[in-house]
Amino acid sequence: MGKIRITKQFNFETGHALYGYDGKCRNVHGHSYKLSVTVIGTPITDTSHVKWGMVIDFGDLKKIVKEEIVDQFDHATVFNKNTPHVELAQELISRGHNVILADYQPTSENMVIDFSKKIRARLPENISLHSLKLQETDTSFAEWYASDNQ
C-alpha cells in the first residue's frame, strides 16, 4: 500500500506585534489564523486494528494540534521575549491576559517553524509531518514543507 497524505484544518485568534518593523504591524494587532496540518503515512492494514484503513485518526491529530498550538495560541498575544514589548507583556500578564513570550519575532514564517517542531515531536513514529500552511489573512500565508527542511 502507498503513502497517503491527510490534512486537518484549525482556526484560532491570536494577537502580536513585530518589534522594529517599519509598517503598521509594529502595533499590537490580531489575526484570525487558519492552520492546515498535513501528515503522511501508510494506512493501517491490520483488519483487526480499531484504526484499520487510517493513516492516523483525525481525532488523534486534532488532539495533538489542539494541545500544542490551538490551546496555547488562541486568544493569546505573542511577543518576542527579547524586545521592549516585554514590559507591555508583563503588564498584560499581571492583568490576567494570556501572553506568549517567544524566542522569535512572531511572524507567520517563524510561527510555522515553531509549530512544525511542536507537532513533529508528538506524532507517532510511523507518521511524518508533510507540511503546514498558516494563513494570516485571506490572501497571505506561510508554508512549511518537510522536503524543504531535511
Side-chain angles (χ1 to χ4, degrees), residues 51-120:
K51 310 280 180 162
W52 176 41
M54 297 180 181
V55 171
I56 185 173
D57 187 319
F58 282 114
D60 294 340
L61 182 57
K62 178 181 177 179
K63 182 180 188 312
I64 292 167
V65 177
K66 190 173 177 313
E67 289 175 359
E68 293 296 328
I69 312 302
V70 177
D71 289 350
Q72 304 298 315
F73 283 80
D74 191 34
H75 287 81
T77 304
V78 185
F79 296 112
N80 180 328
K81 73 176 187 178
N82 297 313
T83 70
H85 284 127
V86 171
E87 292 174 22
L88 174 58
Q90 296 303 335
E91 176 66 22
L92 290 170
I93 291 167
S94 75
R95 294 173 182 261
H97 291 265
N98 184 9
V99 175
I100 295 171
L101 294 173
D103 292 330
Y104 53 82
Q105 179 82 311
T107 61
S108 288
E109 296 90 336
N110 285 331
M111 289 170 69
V112 82
I113 291 168
D114 180 34
F115 295 173
S116 72
K117 292 173 186 171
K118 291 176 178 181
I119 294 168
R120 287 189 313 174

Side-chain angles (χ1 to χ4, degrees), residues 126-146:
N126 59 326
I127 308 297
S128 298
L129 182 60
H130 176 267
S131 63
L132 296 174
K133 178 179 179 181
L134 182 61
Q135 200 161 340
E136 188 174 277
T137 69
D138 285 340
T139 60
S140 304
F141 57 88
E143 292 181 293
W144 178 95
Y145 282 86

